[in-house]
């Protein structure tokens, strides 16, 4: 019985460490081309794939913008002197734009994307573009603490999504 208890785990270990079939194709989760055997995708911390010409920030299901965490905002130096668009009052922002620094950022597919304003960033909104993504924020700008706003997100290939009941606040 002791011999069986020793041999069984060793047999299972040997079965688990066998080589995968050679015709298997590894697929990356970051939308890139299939990975070669033995490689790691960029989303898993491996080599960075070739640059993408335009991001897919919108699809048939809607916007693909993700909330920006305070660590990303402070890391970009935009914790003050910036405007933020949130899908609802009290929600994490999906766009942060410097009022004077000429920069803005969003997060798409777990990646921070730098945008450039196409004009002044004000309490009434602004327009931003970068990497095939365009955003337009329109706010009433009546309250210094923030106001209701809408934001249109467009891809270079045409799809658009509008946040209708968002919140735009500048500090």
């Amino acid at each position: 019985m002791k011999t069986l208890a020793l041999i069984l785990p060793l047999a299972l270990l040997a079965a688990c460490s066998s080589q995968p079939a050679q015709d298997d194709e590894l697929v990356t989760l970051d939308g890139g081309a299939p990975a070669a055997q033995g490689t790691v995708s960029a989303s898993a911390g491996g080599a960075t794939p070739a640059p993408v010409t335009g991001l897919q920030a919108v699809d048939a299901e809607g916007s693909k913008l993700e909330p920006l965490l305070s660590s990303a905002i402070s890391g970009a130096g935009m914790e003050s002197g910036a405007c933020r668009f949130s899908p609802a009052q009290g929600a994490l922002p999906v766009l942060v734009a410097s009022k004077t620094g000429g920069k803005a950022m969003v997060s798409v597919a777990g990646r921070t994307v730098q945008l450039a304003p196409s004009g002044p960033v004000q309490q009434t909104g602004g327009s931003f573009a970068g990497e095939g993504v365009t955003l337009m924020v329109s706010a009433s700008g009546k309250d210094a603490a923030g106001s209701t706003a809408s934001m249109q997100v467009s891809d270079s290939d045409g799809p658009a999504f509008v946040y209708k009941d968002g919140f735009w606040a500048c500090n």
Side-chain angles (χ1 to χ4, degrees), residues 16-104:
C16 290
S17 64
S18 65
Q19 294 291 330
Q22 292 300 326
D23 59 341
D24 283 351
E25 183 177 282
L26 300 176
V27 179
T28 63
L29 297 177
D30 56 9
Q37 198 75 2
T39 64
V40 178
S41 73
S43 61
T48 304
V52 178
T53 57
L55 293 174
Q56 184 176 5
V58 179
D59 68 9
E61 296 175 7
S63 172
K64 295 297 178 190
L65 298 184
E66 299 167 339
L68 290 163
L69 301 178
S70 59
S71 58
I73 296 167
S74 64
M78 291 193 277
E79 57 275 330
S80 64
C83 296
R84 300 162 192 234
F85 179 86
S86 301
Q89 189 170 357
L92 290 172
V94 294
L95 165 69
V96 177
S98 171
K99 291 191 297 187
T100 58
K103 62 182 178 177

Side-chain angles (χ1 to χ4, degrees), residues 147-164:
S147 57
T148 58
S150 63
M151 180 171 76
Q152 179 174 322
V153 182
S154 304
D155 276 346
S156 59
D157 60 355
F161 178 81
V162 177
Y163 289 94
K164 294 182 180 181

